[in-house]
Amino acid sequence: MDRTRRLRTSESLRKMLRENHVRTDELICPIFVIEGENICNPIESMPGINQYSVDRLHEIMNQIVEAGIVSVLLFGIPAHKDEVGSAAYDEEGVVPQAIRYIKSHYPEIVVIADVCLCEYTSHGHCGLVKDGIILNDETLPLLSKAAVAYAKAGADIIAPSDMMDRRVEVIREALDNAGFLYVSIMAYSAKFASGFYGPFRDAAHSAPGFGDRKTYQMDPANGKEAMNEVEEDILEGADFIIAKPAMAYMDIIKEIDNNFRVPIVAYNVSGEYSMVKAAAANGWIDEKKIVMEIMTGLKRAGAKMIITYHALDVARWIEEKR
Ligand code: PBG
């Protein structure tokens, strides 16, 4: 093997030897659904991404279906927030309405509903707050209530992103008790306290009003701890595992892949998206080349699926190539 370049001599040969592929079927497109009517708000820090009210959801859903994408991840932005995040578990809230709309008009789409309180609480934390402390066990029933409300509306998959301990266990139990044995759980297990979520917090109006999320999200320096979180969530009943953010954490994806057999989902988060968009807008990078390289890298690291704001572009680029 002194001449490894022999295997790179033509595009056809390179195609034959390609180890990893990005497939449209494996893309998950995040959508921000906002309460109200006739809204399509561009998010300034995420060029190309909008918040949609339910009555205009068809604008993005038609593009998704057209592009061949089969799955969406929903985030809700309520009209009113309160201390206990009531709008998160209101059966008539914006996310249940969006789920019902999508399920009735696009029944083949796999609907994933993010479960968390931060978009719904006035303090912007992912759990209940008392004396400046983010409460764990007191938050769990509210997360379960949200999960059941979304399942009732027709969600296929529940994705808890709050990082409270034992939430997968209580959500599984609540879903089972409500008869939703086949609604699965995609747990944000390896979720780090990251600066890369900045643009999302603009998009979802969910920045914490005080302090930070470091008492519940993981320290970016820790890899072994992530494996503990993953193991725990699998034991509690997680069907899929999310690693998030993606790019600065590819070793985590690889490590999960080496140690566990559940499908791994890489979340290519808002800050990763916006960095690429900003550099591309300045003409400093080739957006398509860079995005496809990132997607391929995530597959190579071991991701089965990828949640990405680039989903529509990626799907179109894959189609173009065929
Ligand atoms: C809610 C949640 C966040 C993201 C997904 N779910 C924000 C956060 O934890 O602060 C971030 C996604 C992104 O940056 O694209 N807990």
Side-chain angles (χ1 to χ4, degrees), residues 12-55:
S12 298
L13 192 54
R14 290 191 292 272
K15 266 193 197 166
M16 290 172 76
L17 290 161
R18 198 153 288 151
E19 295 175 31
N20 293 286
H21 299 85
V22 182
R23 294 172 48 230
T24 301
D25 292 340
E26 295 168 336
L27 299 172
I28 298 170
C29 186
I31 302 181
F32 297 103
V33 209
I34 188 164
E35 207 167 323
E37 272 167 40
N38 194 24
I39 303 173
C40 173
N41 270 342
I43 298 153
E44 206 180 329
S45 54
M46 300 180 73
I49 306 296
N50 305 306
Q51 301 164 329
Y52 293 92
S53 52
V54 175
D55 60 346

Side-chain angles (χ1 to χ4, degrees), residues 280-316:
N282 275 298
W284 297 337
I285 56 168
D286 177 334
E287 181 174 354
K288 176 173 161 182
K289 234 174 158 174
I290 294 271
V291 170
M292 291 311 287
E293 194 171 326
I294 293 169
M295 297 299 132
T296 307
L298 295 175
K299 291 300 305 280
R300 195 190 62 242
K304 172 66 185 146
M305 285 167 265
I306 303 173
I307 303 171
T308 179
Y309 303 95
H310 297 290
L312 274 175
D313 285 332
V314 172
R316 287 169 186 151

Side-chain angles (χ1 to χ4, degrees), residues 268-282:
N268 176 225
V269 300
S270 58
E272 302 176 76
Y273 171 84
S274 299
M275 287 196 306
V276 170
K277 285 301 221 187
N282 275 298

Side-chain angles (χ1 to χ4, degrees), residues 36-150:
E37 272 167 40
N38 194 24
I39 303 173
C40 173
N41 270 342
I43 298 153
E44 206 180 329
S45 54
M46 300 180 73
I49 306 296
N50 305 306
Q51 301 164 329
Y52 293 92
S53 52
V54 175
D55 60 346
R56 291 187 65 174
L57 261 185
H58 61 275
E59 294 176 21
I60 180 83
M61 287 308 301
N62 290 346
Q63 293 182 61
I64 284 169
V65 170
E66 183 91 349
I69 294 171
V70 295
S71 180
V72 297
L73 170 61
L74 301 181
F75 294 99
I77 307 151
H80 303 287
K81 302 184 187 230
D82 59 27
E83 285 279 299
V84 294
S86 312
Y89 36 89
D90 176 357
E91 291 188 8
E92 295 308 315
V94 66
V95 166
Q97 280 181 41
I99 297 169
R100 284 193 291 265
Y101 173 80
I102 295 171
K103 275 293 166 187
S104 64
H105 292 83
Y106 309 88
E108 72 287 0
I109 293 287
V110 173
V111 176
I112 309 171
D114 186 272
V115 167
C116 196
L117 297 190
C118 65
E119 299 107 279
Y120 305 91
T121 50
S122 42
H123 44 72
H125 276 288
C126 304
L128 293 174
V129 172
K130 196 173 171 213
D131 303 328
I133 305 283
I134 291 72
L135 302 175
N136 193 91
D137 296 16
E138 294 79 352
T139 301
L140 299 178
L142 304 183
L143 298 170
S144 312
K145 226 171 135 178
V148 171
Y150 304 161

Side-chain angles (χ1 to χ4, degrees), residues 75 114 116 118-119 126 161 188 191 196-197 200-201 213 217 244 267 269-270 309:
F75 294 99
D114 186 272
C116 196
C118 65
E119 299 107 279
C126 304
S161 68
Y188 289 77
K191 177 168 176 176
F196 285 100
Y197 309 148
F200 175 95
R201 294 179 188 172
R213 305 210 200 288
Q217 299 181 351
K244 169 189 175 186
Y267 196 146
V269 300
S270 58
Y309 303 95

Side-chain angles (χ1 to χ4, degrees), residues 254-269:
K254 186 82 207 156
E255 190 73 11
I256 300 173
D257 193 40
N258 285 340
N259 288 290
F260 302 97
R261 282 176 299 205
V262 286
I264 302 167
V265 186
Y267 196 146
N268 176 225
V269 300

